[in-house]
Structures are given as C-alpha cells and as structure tokens.
Amino acid sequence: MKYYVNEDCIGCGLCAGTCPEVFSMSDDGVAIAIEAEVPEEALESAAEAMDNCPVGAIEERAGDNADGNDCTKVESCEKKRIISNCKNCWSAL
C-alpha cells in the first residue's frame, strides 16, 4: 500500500501531523508521501490522514502505481486503457 498526495493539497499539515511516518511537508508548503510501501504499524494512521484530508488530496494506490503512472487496475478501469496519469482514471474504479 502506498499513498499519493495530488495537486489539490492546500498545505494544511493535517496528514503530516496525523501520520508523520508517511506524510511530510515539502519546501513548497504542500504535503508529500513517502515513496516506499507504508509500514505495517502506520497503516491505520495513514488511512486516517487520507480520510480526514479537508480537500481529499490523498489517494491510496497499490504497488508501483504511487506516482500516478502505469495503471495497475486497467482490467477494471472503465476507460480500459493505460493513461499517462492514472489519477484521472481512479475515480472511475
């Protein structure tokens, strides 16, 4: 399990405060997520951070898809194709 913070982030810091093992604030003032798989002990707090994001900027992604590329769920995607930025497709899954 990996998380991705999209461009909707407003930099409130809630996620970094809720789950600092996964989220931090960048020099640009917006949140970023670790590139590695979420550690087992942080799964619950990472999910809480995603659920409580005031703008819904945190997305849950499986495996190598955390950067938004190469849709790993193309079989179930309504668009039935791999697109360059999978986040445009995730709401359809």
Side-chain angles (χ1 to χ4, degrees):
M1 170 79 53
K2 293 183 180 184
Y3 286 89
Y4 171 78
V5 180
N6 69 35
E7 69 277 353
D8 293 335
C9 178
I10 59 172
C12 72
L14 183 135
C15 59
T18 302
C19 186
E21 301 88 354
V22 176
F23 303 100
S24 61
M25 302 305 291
S26 72
D27 292 338
D28 295 330
V30 294
I32 54 174
I34 61 171
E35 293 183 21
E37 292 282 327
V38 174
E40 181 84 24
E41 63 275 4
L43 287 172
E44 188 174 320
S45 59
E48 180 182 344
M50 181 183 70
D51 292 343
N52 291 320
C53 177
V55 294
I58 300 171
E59 302 172 29
E60 184 180 308
R61 299 211 171 150
D64 292 334
N65 197 28
D67 64 0
N69 296 317
D70 299 321
C71 182
T72 59
K73 296 188 177 185
V74 70
E75 300 83 24
S76 62
C77 178
E78 290 180 10
K79 296 180 181 184
K80 301 290 187 211
R81 61 189 173 99
I82 295 175
I83 54 178
S84 63
N85 194 344
C86 191
K87 69 182 177 168
N88 294 323
C89 169
W90 276 73
S91 63
L93 298 180

